[in-house]
Amino acid sequence: MANTTPISDDVKAEVLRLHAEGHSRNHIARTLGISAGSVTNICRAADRSFDRSETKQATEARTVDLAAGRVRLAEKMLAASEDMLDRIDDEYLVYNFGGKDNDYNEHTLESAPVEVRRNIIVTAGITFDKLTRIVERANTGTEEAIGMLDQLAAGFKAAAAQYRADETLADDPE
């Protein structure tokens, strides 16, 4: 059950003070022992909000990192599947332990048995399917990263233009 105890005016004032110092919503909540939602509500009531741009950028960077991880995983899956397919027609060693003396017996077959060959082909098919999906997602992440970089570049360009305009006004003797 949620705590319905009203938050004191002193705590509300402390929330606003910490907000003014630039602390994050979660930091304020942990420091004061109240919920993050309460911090948000107190700040919203005072016409204040939290800058979420860093969170957005961190989330976008994490998305790019995850896309790169998926590509690395796809490369490993592909290499393992290719290795299995390359060796499907190689000689295949079968062995067992058993009997009253726990004997070891082995026999080399000309190629893998049908059930092993089927498992290799099914595994390669699953890998192909997963690889296709991973690469599609990775491409989407790359496009998002490029879009984010384009937005940053546009922001830098606008900031530089504003800086140049401000410098021109400052240099104008009139």
Side-chain angles (χ1 to χ4, degrees), residues 101-117:
D101 296 326
N102 199 24
D103 294 335
Y104 172 79
N105 296 297
E106 67 179 44
H107 181 74
T108 302
L109 303 175
E110 288 183 26
S111 66
V114 171
E115 62 273 7
V116 172
R117 295 170 69 86

Side-chain angles (χ1 to χ4, degrees), residues 7 12-15 29 35 79 95 97 100 103 109 120-122:
I7 296 174
K12 289 178 184 178
E14 187 64 10
V15 166
S35 73
Y95 60 92
F97 293 94
K100 66 178 182 162
D103 294 335
L109 303 175
I120 291 171
I121 291 169
V122 167

Side-chain angles (χ1 to χ4, degrees), residues 60 142-158:
E60 289 171 347
T142 302
E143 290 170 9
E144 289 172 4
I146 290 169
M148 181 182 71
L149 291 172
D150 286 343
Q151 288 177 347
L152 285 171
F156 285 133
K157 186 175 180 180

Side-chain angles (χ1 to χ4, degrees), residues 119-135:
N119 285 341
I120 291 171
I121 291 169
V122 167
T123 300
I126 292 169
T127 300
F128 177 78
D129 181 56
K130 298 296 182 188
L131 179 66
T132 302
R133 291 179 187 180
I134 289 169
V135 169

Side-chain angles (χ1 to χ4, degrees), residues 72-82 127 130-131 134:
R72 285 191 307 275
L73 178 60
E75 290 169 349
K76 288 181 179 183
M77 290 170 56
L78 178 61
S81 291
E82 285 177 344
T127 300
K130 298 296 182 188
L131 179 66
I134 289 169

Side-chain angles (χ1 to χ4, degrees), residues 9-22 28 32 39 41-48:
D9 289 340
D10 289 342
V11 171
K12 289 178 184 178
E14 187 64 10
V15 166
L16 297 176
R17 183 186 72 75
L18 292 170
H19 177 273
E21 289 179 3
I28 295 170
L32 300 178
V39 172
N41 292 336
I42 292 166
C43 289
R44 187 179 299 134
D47 273 339
R48 297 189 190 180

